[in-house]
Amino acid sequence: MDDAFSFSFSLIFPISTPLFPPPFSLLKSSLSFFSSPAAARKIDLSLMPVQLGGGGKVAEPKDLAATDKDRPSSKKNRRRQKKPATSAAISPPVAAMQTLFDTSREVFQDSLPGFVPPPQAVARLAALLNDLKPHDVGIEPSMSCFKNVDSKGPPRVTYLHFYDCPKFSFGIFCLPKSAVIPLHNHPGMTVFCKILFGSMHLKSYDWAKSAPDSDNNALETSDGARLAKVNTDAVFDASSETTVLYPENGGNLHCFTARTACAVLDVMGPPYNRADGRDCSYYDESPYLSSSGGDARYSWLKENHSTFEMKEPSPSSPSPTLAAAAAAAAAAAAEMSVWNYVVTAHKPTSVTHSCVGNFTGPNQLNLIVAKCTRIEIHLLTPQGLQPMIDVPIYGRIATLELFRPHNETQDFLFIATERYKFCVLQWDGEKSELLTRAMGDVSDRIGRPTDNGQIGIIDPDCRLIGLHLYDGLFKVIPFDNKGQLKEAFNIRLEELQVLDIKFLYGCVKPTIVVLYQDNKDARHVKTYEVALKDKDFVEGPWSQNNLDNGAGLLIPVPAPLGGVIIIGEETIVYCNANSTFRAIPIKQSIIRAYGRVDPDGSRYLLGDNAGILHLLVLTHERERVTGLKIEYLGETSIASSISYLDNGVVYVGSRFGDSQLVKLNLQADPNGSYVEVLERYVNLGPIVDFCVVDLDRQGQGQVVTCSGAFKDGSLRVVRNGIGINEQASVELQGIKGLWSLKSSFNDPYDMYLVVSFISETRFLAMNMEDELEETEIEGFDAQTQTLFCQNAINDLLIQVTANSVRLVSCTSRELVDQWNAPEGFSVNVASANASQVLLATGGGHLVYLEIKDSKLVEVKHIQLEHEISCVDLNPIGENPQYSSLAAVGMWTDISVRILSLPDLELIRKENLGGEIVPRSVLLCTLEGVSYLLCALGDGHLFSFLLNASTGELTDRKKVSLGTQPISLRTFSSKGTTHVFASSDRPTVIYSSNKKLLYSNVNLKEVNHMCPFNTAAIPDSLAIAKEGELSIGTIDDIQKLHIRTIPLNEQARRICHQEQSRTLAFCSFKHNQTSIEESETHFVRLLDHQTFEFLSIYQLDQYEHGCSIISCSFSDDNNVYYCVGTAYVLPEENEPSKGRILVFAVEDGRLQLIVEKETKGAVYSLNAFNGKLLAAINQKIQLYKWTLREDGSHELQSECGHHGHILALYTQTRGDFIVVGDLMKSISLLVYKHEESAIEELARDYNANWMSAVEMLDDEIYIGAENNYNIFTVRKNSDAATDEERGRLEVVGEYHLGEFVNRLRHGSLVMRLPDSEMGQIPTVIFGTINGVIGIIASLPHEQYVFLEKLQSTLVKFIKGVGNLSHEQWRSFHNDKKTSEARNFLDGDLIESFLDLSRNKMEEVAKGMGVPVEELSKRVEELTRLH
């Protein structure tokens, strides 16, 4: 603002470290002149969060704009520089503030004194400010800067400075109640003001052009006062629109008076600058008097020269919000490093294999599902599929087969991996764990890996396992008489192009049938007997030549029918040794999944590539097949595996869509389908592309993925945590407790909501219109605070207050019985269930009551040695109305105790340690496992396994859920019990696979919660926040919430545009006719909140959408979608033609503005210094945005760079360009402004076939390649020779085991103030198997510590099947295998939290660290995702 603002305080953002860097279009190629790489580092906000702190300033070029140091200071700037940088910082959520910065930069790009932005630019920035909320800029009313702590003087104003450059600046004024900012001017400036919260009086003036009095038209007095006309004199609040003042009008002079504490965001351009005559002046007002009297529309304003001091924020003790901001800002500033931590946020969901058998017991039917690198074991129960275990496999699963060795009563599981490891697993029923019966390595030094994928098969009579791994070889692993595996050997196989191999049933000697293709592309089957003694093949009993050219799948038929079914694209054939040959034609399709229905093999389910499920029936007479029939059943997801379970229930596993549990009905539905979907299992795979957006504008990233394929294509919105969908809310201050009550004990729904305050209790009830209205419960005491409420047996209601326990009839609502606290005592804490009440009355007194014959009976009264802080007697046994155990938390000795009921005898005392008192205890049962949960006053939570019979506590664990006291309550969702932890970081505690999991709730703070299950809104929750009571429903209970937007077509590329509030994506639809197949490609536009389709642009025939970005260009305020395409013609091996299409979003529609033809496929697009960078076949091409004479725009080629095989992926940062090539790994280019040229600086000379690239920072780049590895390379800026500087040094290698399609900067979680993880930058990746993962760059010290922990854990956590973790994570491709380096396996490290307490202590001992500290450090890591 001003000259008279004597800013004698330390700014939260020192001017020497601007929050936002200057545009990189101004930086030119100055990097080569820096003396060291560290000095050359800059921050690109399109890639990373903002940089703060005491580090070096991001320099602006001297030739185009003076730095703050060089620019003549205004009084405002001088005052800002009085004190050094402080560590306290406000960190706005990056997405919102990045958008504000970008928009302000565009609006003020031509800013000079007197500059007025165009109307459309003003409207755009004003609209953006209108949507800003306090949390978008990291402030809240509770911060100290909004409180008047100095009662001796007037409230003082705090200014939080965000950014300042010659073109514009912005920041926030924080005004306590009654604070005043005096009347001041804005010379030659345009200023946007938005109130973020609170209420204030604004009065503004413009200099008068004429006087209202015709007798005296003077505009200035002799003492220097000038005449000004009132523009605004009104009260504004957060609901008010953004006000805009201009150099000559709009209220250029204004003053503020805070009616309540309030925050005002100012964006101004150009900023104050004394040398340019833009210093701030302050004015005194005096009334305008004319000959006819006063005129309130005018005042005389006279400049004064007094100072206005602002409050100095305390750098030593920032508020929690400021601390949060500081942590997030530090995260923003952090450069990514070579030491990286890789962890899975969402496990693989694409199903590659499934099988059914008796694995966990002779009489237990199991479904076993493989998801590339994990296996899940389910138990089939009358209630459905029950998950039993979900474990990682240190390998990509190539074969999954159940078999039963001789003399065994249950099945074993054979697994082979793509890297030629295998294991045989058995289930240990007593320990409920997997045992390894055998394992080994079946790789060969010499051999060409088969092109059609590995094949693993097991002889039906368990005589051998057969593997086809290399062309021309069949590996045999024989069984001995005891079912043990013997040494493997190879047999030469004449057929080189093997498509499928199966064992035949009912053969005296092990016999295989081989489907193969000859060198003339004809397909045949042939049989061989395996001579185990001779280790060779013997010509088999039969063969069949010249099959369907599309034959690709063999189905062996069990005895007594025997033989094999050969599935083609147009025919299905049955053959056997008796020369039986049966064939039927089918509609052209590709069938790759089948499931046997009957044990005798007379019926099979077939799934084709269109998602159609068929039933194939073998008609037979006795043991002779007489014919084949195929019937249409219905549509499912496109199947990768089919497993028939029982009673017409089928599991359909899918790689391209959601897996399903379906029921086959005897009667067709109206659509002619016999298929009924019972359950869907979400599958994100394949993730072809994704973007990271903040759709809720709460500073938390959400991932929108292009998922699925063909008809199962969809968009998926993935966010961390559980959402509460608000149904109703009302403002209510000071809520101290919430309870729901039913109108009768057996009523399935709640009727009343009891709301407790400090000195009263209010009752809300659902009326006939399903609306909440205030009511009375006559028997309750409404004039005091309620401590507990509960429905009780005999249709009674319990109310506990400080003075009494009251029993009230549900029907009459009258008081039935009452227990009064002894004289001199009052109830402090209480708990009750349907028949019991437990009270603490102070002084360590504990009173136990029971309800008998509708009376309250005092059963036991004891006195403990310390004060009681919390109690609970939630029933966990078989009787839901009575508990035999009580939990009691204690002051002084900081313990939790388990007492027996009714005698209140001590069973177990657990000292919690520390000085923080337990504030809430809860006995609960989740997934049949009983727990004691104990929450402390500092946000920590202890969990114990509880023996419900003996009261013994084991497996003690401690986690951090927040920083404030926690209140625990159970609730039910979809028939399952969970726990809600109310605190400053509300959390849902739930169980999955018998493990406690914690998922944050997407609410800022919750003080109290109770379940409120009404007929109108079933399974809803009542939630008390600061000043508000709301009713809402809760999302599905899971760590990641996934929303599906079905497309019925495949999305390929996606991006988000904040300015138009839209998402745009490229997609294609597969069209199948009886004559031919075709594809239609589109660009589609969606609303980013509702996901409603707004617009569609159909591409030309053969034209494919290959890339899409949102960008703006130099000298153009508009934001565009740019789409890169390719014409994929049948006769071309590589596209020779493409287009770049530039769209504007106008009235929610895509309008094509410019199209540019290209000489190849536009595989990648990037916004680059106000221009457009394109990867077109072998070339990197830069286009500039130019204005034609007719006012239209065009893309004009500026320069390019050749030298790539195919440039598939590009990323940019400043003037640097990283290119991911089809075959030539990563190369680094630089754009030179002076020469208008792009040159290669360095490259990685390894032959990696790239699938994704990203720039971690200016020096380090990460890539993913087609052998499922990721690696990092570093620029050798300090190398001594040109040759070394021209080589990118490989600094990290890691086998991820997943095919990565996209790497993007971003985070799925909010940055937390007290978390080290808030300072760690992250990259998100998405894979073909549906994995969403995080790569986090660690400080070196933390990396070294975690590396030691990883090495320790490998000794304690053995891989399933004894597969080696070290081998699994080693970088592996066709050329080399090398140990992983500078990457850590976060999944392994975080599995520490799943260990038993004893194992945890052993690991901690090996680390030389207390187990609590180690747990805390690992828990912190889980906050990354």
Side-chain angles (χ1 to χ4, degrees), residues 723-727 740 742 747-751 766 770 971-976 1010-1022 1031-1037:
I724 303 291
N725 307 304
E726 188 175 284
Q727 306 293 319
S740 57
K742 301 173 183 177
D747 194 325
Y749 297 113
D750 295 321
M751 173 66 74
M766 297 296 292
D770 291 326
F971 71 97
S972 181
S973 176
K974 296 185 177 179
T976 304
C1010 76
F1012 192 48
N1013 179 33
T1014 66
I1017 317 175
D1019 276 356
S1020 62
L1021 306 178
I1031 309 296
T1033 56
I1034 194 163
D1035 288 339
D1036 290 342
I1037 307 299

Side-chain angles (χ1 to χ4, degrees), residues 1004-1283:
K1004 188 169 184 182
E1005 184 168 359
V1006 172
N1007 298 328
H1008 304 280
M1009 186 286 309
C1010 76
F1012 192 48
N1013 179 33
T1014 66
I1017 317 175
D1019 276 356
S1020 62
L1021 306 178
I1023 291 172
K1025 296 176 281 186
E1026 186 66 37
E1028 181 183 76
L1029 171 65
S1030 62
I1031 309 296
T1033 56
I1034 194 163
D1035 288 339
D1036 290 342
I1037 307 299
Q1038 53 199 20
K1039 186 174 175 63
L1040 287 180
H1041 181 261
I1042 299 169
R1043 175 182 176 184
T1044 302
I1045 296 92
L1047 299 177
N1048 199 34
E1049 61 189 44
Q1050 184 168 340
R1052 295 185 58 183
R1053 294 289 183 265
I1054 188 168
C1055 76
H1056 178 239
Q1057 191 174 88
E1058 173 69 28
Q1059 292 83 352
S1060 64
R1061 299 170 179 267
T1062 58
L1063 288 156
F1065 64 93
C1066 302
S1067 66
F1068 70 90
K1069 193 172 185 68
H1070 189 75
N1071 308 308
Q1072 175 79 54
T1073 66
S1074 56
I1075 304 172
E1076 61 180 9
E1077 295 181 7
S1078 65
E1079 291 177 358
T1080 309
H1081 289 250
F1082 307 96
V1083 181
R1084 296 189 181 273
L1085 188 71
L1086 292 175
D1087 182 281
H1088 78 174
Q1089 287 287 357
T1090 65
F1091 291 93
E1092 173 190 357
F1093 283 88
L1094 302 176
S1095 181
I1096 181 174
Y1097 180 89
Q1098 183 171 329
L1099 298 177
D1100 294 344
Q1101 185 180 15
Y1102 300 119
E1103 188 178 21
H1104 294 208
C1106 299
S1107 53
I1108 185 169
I1109 63 164
S1110 171
C1111 70
S1112 58
F1113 297 103
S1114 298
D1115 304 318
D1116 188 342
N1117 292 327
N1118 297 305
V1119 181
Y1120 301 98
Y1121 279 117
C1122 297
V1123 177
T1125 74
Y1127 286 89
V1128 182
L1129 304 176
E1131 64 273 14
E1132 290 185 344
N1133 292 327
E1134 190 63 39
S1136 61
K1137 178 185 173 185
R1139 288 195 296 172
I1140 297 175
L1141 306 174
V1142 181
F1143 296 95
V1145 179
E1146 298 176 2
D1147 299 323
R1149 312 289 297 176
L1150 284 172
Q1151 299 293 335
L1152 181 63
I1153 304 298
V1154 170
E1155 64 173 299
K1156 178 75 173 178
E1157 284 198 7
T1158 62
K1159 295 181 179 180
V1162 185
Y1163 289 115
S1164 181
L1165 289 171
N1166 289 85
F1168 187 75
N1169 295 336
K1171 304 172 185 179
L1172 185 66
L1173 188 77
I1176 304 170
N1177 282 16
Q1178 299 86 6
K1179 187 177 181 181
I1180 301 298
Q1181 184 73 47
L1182 184 63
Y1183 295 94
K1184 56 187 176 183
W1185 188 242
T1186 59
L1187 187 66
R1188 290 194 182 110
E1189 291 183 359
D1190 63 2
S1192 63
H1193 287 91
E1194 68 173 337
L1195 285 171
Q1196 193 175 87
S1197 177
E1198 179 179 336
C1199 59
H1201 180 268
H1202 293 271
H1204 309 277
I1205 304 296
L1206 275 184
L1208 297 180
Y1209 315 100
T1210 55
Q1211 294 294 342
T1212 64
R1213 189 176 171 91
D1215 294 328
F1216 294 110
I1217 304 162
V1218 163
V1219 180
D1221 191 272
L1222 173 70
M1223 299 169 62
K1224 292 170 65 174
S1225 195
I1226 294 176
S1227 56
L1228 175 66
L1229 314 178
V1230 66
Y1231 170 63
K1232 297 199 169 181
H1233 292 254
E1234 293 83 358
E1235 295 137 43
S1236 187
I1238 297 174
E1239 295 181 1
E1240 181 175 292
L1241 281 184
R1243 68 165 52 249
D1244 173 25
Y1245 286 91
N1246 292 301
N1248 293 313
W1249 293 53
M1250 303 305 296
S1251 64
V1253 296
E1254 185 57 275
M1255 303 177 78
L1256 297 185
D1257 61 20
D1258 283 342
E1259 305 285 323
I1260 302 164
Y1261 322 121
I1262 188 168
E1265 49 87 269
N1266 71 331
N1267 284 292
Y1268 319 114
N1269 302 298
I1270 56 176
F1271 63 98
T1272 50
V1273 294
R1274 179 168 57 195
K1275 181 173 61 169
N1276 285 317
S1277 302
D1278 297 332
T1281 66
D1282 289 343
E1283 182 183 351

Side-chain angles (χ1 to χ4, degrees), residues 269-288:
Y272 292 103
N273 190 309
R274 187 180 187 186
D276 292 343
R278 293 197 311 280
D279 216 353
C280 188
S281 301
Y282 285 85
Y283 297 87
D284 294 325
E285 300 173 80
S286 58
Y288 173 79

Side-chain angles (χ1 to χ4, degrees), residues 717-732:
V717 185
V718 184
R719 61 171 165 78
N720 187 290
I722 297 170
I724 303 291
N725 307 304
E726 188 175 284
Q727 306 293 319
S729 67
V730 63
E731 288 188 13
L732 277 178

Side-chain angles (χ1 to χ4, degrees), residues 1268-1341:
Y1268 319 114
N1269 302 298
I1270 56 176
F1271 63 98
T1272 50
V1273 294
R1274 179 168 57 195
K1275 181 173 61 169
N1276 285 317
S1277 302
D1278 297 332
T1281 66
D1282 289 343
E1283 182 183 351
E1284 290 174 323
R1285 283 192 292 273
R1287 185 181 297 274
L1288 293 175
E1289 177 191 3
V1290 178
V1291 291
E1293 295 178 311
Y1294 183 78
H1295 186 74
L1296 185 65
E1298 290 283 343
F1299 192 101
V1300 175
N1301 271 323
R1302 178 68 73 187
L1303 293 155
R1304 289 196 192 275
H1305 284 273
S1307 172
L1308 281 170
V1309 296
M1310 292 188 193
R1311 302 297 188 180
L1312 303 175
D1314 63 339
S1315 170
E1316 292 180 12
M1317 298 306 110
Q1319 304 177 34
I1320 292 180
T1322 55
V1323 165
I1324 301 173
F1325 62 83
T1327 79
I1328 282 182
N1329 288 303
V1331 170
I1332 294 177
I1334 303 294
I1335 301 171
S1337 284
L1338 303 177
H1340 185 242
E1341 293 168 2

Side-chain angles (χ1 to χ4, degrees), residues 347 359-360 366-369 374-379 386-392 413 425-428 431-435 927 992-995 1360:
K347 298 173 184 176
F359 182 67
T360 60
N366 303 106
L367 170 68
I368 301 179
V369 176
R374 301 187 71 87
I375 58 168
E376 298 174 1
I377 300 174
H378 302 260
L379 177 65
Q386 175 186 321
M388 292 186 66
I389 192 171
D390 174 7
V391 292
L413 183 64
L425 305 178
Q426 180 184 11
W427 182 254
D428 185 334
K431 296 181 179 179
S432 294
E433 64 182 21
L434 293 169
L435 298 178
E927 276 196 324
S992 178
N993 293 326
K994 312 288 186 182
K995 295 176 184 176
V1360 172

Side-chain angles (χ1 to χ4, degrees), residues 130 133 194-199 235-242:
N130 286 337
K133 299 294 185 286
K194 178 67 178 79
I195 301 181
L196 299 175
F197 68 80
S199 169
V235 173
F236 288 75
D237 60 22
S239 65
S240 304
E241 297 283 309
T242 299

Side-chain angles (χ1 to χ4, degrees), residues 836-854:
Q836 301 163 288
V837 183
L838 189 62
L839 314 166
T841 57
H845 289 273
L846 190 64
V847 180
Y848 170 61
L849 312 175
E850 288 189 0
I851 300 172
K852 296 180 178 179
D853 300 325
S854 300

